[in-house]
Amino acid sequence: MNGTKEISGLTPRGQQYVTIRLSGQLFGLPINRVQDVFMPDNFTFVPLASEQIAGVLNLRGRILTAIDLSKVLKVAAVNETNSERPAVSVICANESYGILTDSVGEVVTLDGELLEPNPVNLDPEWAK
């Protein structure tokens, strides 16, 4: 990476993010939390799970809970068929999850000085 030393997604130029799109909105996931980008298949339905849980799946020997981000944020997904939506495998609280998105973009580096706190009028679900 141009001779710069990278530690956990932090470079001398700033923090790196994997970009995803959902319902026309651009989001960034910290690269140090992203494990894989994949096209999910063979979901297993989970009885009595909340609507945000698309199911569980086996990704190279790891069992992932697949979360439908469109249901979490209460927006419409571009494609309602889960197996045709790309997913990003992330680690949160030492657990692996697959997040269903509309599309996965590129890795971008943002200078820490450019980051701003969430606006106070942002929906609390989006702020989380």
Side-chain angles (χ1 to χ4, degrees), residues 2 8 11 15-16 24 27 29 40 45 51 56 59 61 71 74 97-98 115 118 121:
N2 298 346
S8 302
T11 68
Q15 177 71 38
Q16 291 187 311
F27 296 90
L29 302 173
F45 175 72
E51 71 172 0
V56 294
L59 179 65
K71 301 262 197 274
K74 298 178 177 96
Y97 297 93
L115 299 179
N118 290 332
N121 60 346

Side-chain angles (χ1 to χ4, degrees), residues 22-23 39 68 70 76-86 100-103:
L22 183 68
S23 191
M39 291 299 291
D68 187 342
S70 67
V78 170
N79 190 342
E80 288 297 322
T81 306
N82 289 340
S83 62
E84 295 178 7
R85 297 172 63 196
L100 297 176
T101 67
D102 287 338
S103 67

Side-chain angles (χ1 to χ4, degrees), residues 15-21 26-31 34 37 88 103-110:
Q15 177 71 38
Q16 291 187 311
Y17 296 89
V18 175
T19 60
I20 61 171
R21 283 203 178 272
L26 182 67
F27 296 90
L29 302 173
I31 197 167
V34 174
V37 175
V88 178
S103 67
V104 178
E106 59 190 5
V107 174
V108 296
T109 302
L110 297 178

